[in-house]
Amino acid sequence: MPQTVIQHAPSIPAQDPPKYKQYATGWGFRLGLLAAFVSILIWASWLVSMRAGMTNTLTAFDLGILRYSPPALLLFPFLWRARAQVKAVSPILLLGVVCGAGLPFFYLSATGLTYAPASHAGLLILGAFPFFVTLLAVLFYQEKVSRERKMGLSLVCIGVIVLFSLSLLTAPENTWKGDLLLLAASFFWAVYTVSLRIAGLPPLVSTALMGLVSLIALAFLWATGLASSGLAEASWDMLAGQILVQSLLVGLMTGFSYGYAIQKLGAENMAAIGAFTPVLAALIAIPVLGEQLEGYSIAGLIFVSIGVVIASGIFKKR
């Protein structure tokens, strides 16, 4: 009787997800959360600082110089040593990094803050961008969105819509123009966040690249007469505060903390946690700028805060 030989097909090992879809656990996750909360505290201070600068003698060019000069000059050695790694990244992703958090984003934010208060900037830039991040991740990288994230982001969107709609009816004239510019800035920041996550560049390298390209663009604007400066008329107190926030905290410190948080938590989680910034910015703006929270701003903040807690998953067991 002939024997039947049964050949078993070799088992195919499960493929690991792409690196940009792998998130930290344990202490890596906790350190990522710490970096995320450091980043949003600095962002809140940045929004108030930008509003103060744009409503005084400083121009967007001045604030841009203060923002991008330190990372461009001080972090250039990191960029030079990693030049081969940078060349290996897709040009589309590099463009997303340098434009998403570079001059296009900066000028949209600065111009928007000449019309709208810091509380609006917090809600529209960092409150709306979790939605844009998730949208980009779904459209281009087939990310799956959990039910909790959908629910949380829906609340975030409701908060943004409440603010935007009611500000059209009750806010001072031209506030709506600032709101639209800030919403456009939010989209650019989402592009930066997703591009940075996919590119996988070290935080200091991506910060140096963004700073260098932005500084070169600012130099071009100055050389062609397309930019003006009010530094000569600014007070020393104003300059000291702007140097602290724009140059040291935002220009250098968040370059590391934000990039580290994205690597450990992922773009979508960082986007959701980052939506806490509007609350901090609104609270800081009350004593520093004398801004008052309107009823619709408070409603928007409540929706955004609850949505963030649900969408971020920060209380999930890791």
Side-chain angles (χ1 to χ4, degrees), residues 27 42 87 91 93 111 114 157 204 236 239 260 315:
W27 273 106
I42 295 175
K87 290 180 181 179
L93 293 177
T111 308
T114 61
C157 290
L204 294 182
W236 284 108
L239 286 178
Y260 183 86
F315 297 119

Side-chain angles (χ1 to χ4, degrees), residues 168-180:
L168 285 174
L169 301 175
T170 62
E173 185 180 3
N174 291 329
T175 300
W176 65 271
K177 294 180 181 179
D179 289 345
L180 285 177

Side-chain angles (χ1 to χ4, degrees), residues 66-125:
L66 294 175
R67 165 69 177 85
Y68 295 111
S69 294
L73 300 177
L74 298 179
L75 301 181
F76 181 76
F78 294 94
L79 178 62
W80 180 254
R81 287 197 292 267
R83 60 190 184 277
Q85 185 178 359
V86 173
K87 290 180 181 179
V89 177
S90 164
I92 298 296
L93 293 177
L94 294 179
L95 185 65
V97 170
V98 300
C99 289
L103 279 193
F105 165 79
F106 191 86
Y107 268 86
L108 286 169
S109 303
T111 308
L113 279 164
T114 61
Y115 299 107
S119 58
H120 286 212
L123 270 173
L124 292 173
I125 294 180

